[in-house]
Amino acid sequence: MNHAAATTPTLQDDTLSLGPLELRLGDREALVSGVRASLTVREFEVLEALTERPDRVITREDVYGRVWGGRMPYRDRAVDVHVKRIRQKLGAIAPEWTFVHTHFGIGYRLSPEVTDGGQQ
Amino acid sequence: MNHAAATTPTLQDDTLSLGPLELRLGDREALVSGVRASLTVREFEVLEALTERPDRVITREDVYGRVWGGRMPYRDRAVDVHVKRIRQKLGAIAPEWTFVHTHFGIGYRLSPEVTDGGQQ
DNA sequence: CGCAGTGGTGAAAAGAATGTGAAGGAAGTT
DNA sequence: AACTTCCTTCACATTCTTTTCACCACTGCG
């Protein structure tokens, strides 16, 4: 069984904290449990877009608009691919956590949750 | 004996509340007692259609029209099947509640009611 | 009581959307 | 020019959703 992080989004200086996730907005750096995730610029921006409304579903179109601007081309997969790599990098640091959740047919939701059996 | 939820439909932001049921229209998310019900898009839409007139009977044809558009094909069971899964998912979270009621020969009625003997 | 129509359900079939590895290219560096 | 990093795109794999079907239970009525 899973349970959500009992953590409220926090914003000090220009650092946004969400569970073990920490976004240094100014530096465009993401840390997980204090470890630098070395996201690329785009990856960071996508993650930041999801941060807009933590624990709420955000559509691909919405993410696309915030990161690339303009309307998302039909069948564009850019968002998905970046989410994949974000998951990969964050997961490498904290395998027992799940950060980005897929909402089929709609979009993604950012919300750090502990996964049972951190091993995959 | 049963009794209806002593709750009036509420609408804040884009969230509709009906007893323990909460529909986040924008996110297409349904929560029961605060727990995410993870309905699929169609399931959510059907539930939303029933929401149109809470505590009132809504015909299958009506639901069909709102969700799929157009006239419901003769003997189509799509609505029934989705209602079944909605009940299943909501019931899994709150077994002591009954949300969707069948009106034989007519349609369905959405209205959260406490069921005696939460066990099934 | 038996029939005909309606609704409940599990499961298979069909359809979509998302996950993913890899290729290709642009831009910056050495 | 060769190398590196990052972004985008593509094709295929995988997973999830929706539709359809078949069979059974239930309702209402003659």
Side-chain angles (χ1 to χ4, degrees), chain A residues 40 42 68 76 82 85 104:
Chain A
T40 67
R42 279 276 181 293
W68 285 267
D76 192 281
H82 281 90
R85 284 191 293 242
F104 214 91

